[in-house]
Amino acid sequence: SGADQELVDAIAAAILSDNTGAEGEPTEEQASCIATAVVDGIGAEQLEEYGIVATDVSIEDVTLSQGDAETVADAFIGCVDMEALFVQGMAADGSMTQEAMDCITEAIDEDSIRGFLVAGFMGEDPTAAATGDDDLMSAVMDCAMQVQG
């Protein structure tokens, strides 16, 4: 519906405004893809209950249920190459060697990124929430340690 499209446009704009347009950040097309998947997946009514409406799509203080957090995480993963984005984001400050980036690329996968995103959208500390072998941050730290030797 028109109202849903307004919400999609507003969410897409918010995704883009949160980003500086640096390498590895979502394009307009990807932001629109994410926003559409979120609105379709969660529904405008439920988003409104979270306080996400076309005139205010700030998600800074929003804590999603696990199911909705998974929907949003899947939207990001489905629309954007999150693995590449994650590695590019980590490499952006230039402090990481190619060796470390290759290690991280090998160590992370869609599941580890999904766990990281879901925790973040649920208002948890994503670095603390992931556990086990698919823990994104421990994989990153392991790589950093190996490279420093």
Side-chain angles (χ1 to χ4, degrees):
S1 74
D4 282 3
Q5 188 55 51
E6 261 180 60
L7 187 56
V8 167
D9 292 345
I11 291 172
I15 291 168
L16 291 171
S17 73
D18 279 351
N19 296 305
T20 56
E23 184 183 351
E25 306 222 316
T27 62
E28 259 179 63
E29 198 175 304
Q30 290 168 330
S32 181
C33 171
I34 294 165
T36 302
V38 167
V39 174
D40 288 352
I42 296 177
E45 208 169 283
Q46 180 61 48
L47 287 167
E48 195 175 323
E49 281 186 33
Y50 287 123
I52 300 170
V53 292
T55 52
D56 176 19
V57 291
S58 169
I59 56 167
E60 296 307 307
D61 304 318
V62 174
T63 303
L64 302 179
S65 69
Q66 181 160 356
D68 290 342
E70 287 170 359
T71 299
V72 177
D74 288 340
F76 273 88
I77 291 167
C79 297
V80 182
D81 181 347
M82 289 303 292
E83 290 171 53
L85 201 73
F86 186 80
V87 175
Q88 284 173 343
M90 298 207 63
D93 66 359
S95 67
M96 206 174 274
T97 63
Q98 187 60 48
E99 195 182 347
M101 290 194 310
D102 290 345
C103 174
I104 291 167
T105 303
E106 297 263 314
I108 62 175
D109 61 17
E110 202 170 276
D111 286 344
S112 58
I113 287 180
R114 187 170 190 262
F116 183 83
L117 290 172
V118 168
F121 293 131
M122 288 172 64
E124 295 170 10
D125 176 358
T127 56
T131 53
D133 295 336
D134 63 353
D135 181 337
L136 196 61
M137 295 326 280
S138 71
V140 170
M141 295 315 291
D142 289 350
C143 290
M145 295 306 217
Q146 286 171 19
V147 173
Q148 288 172 349

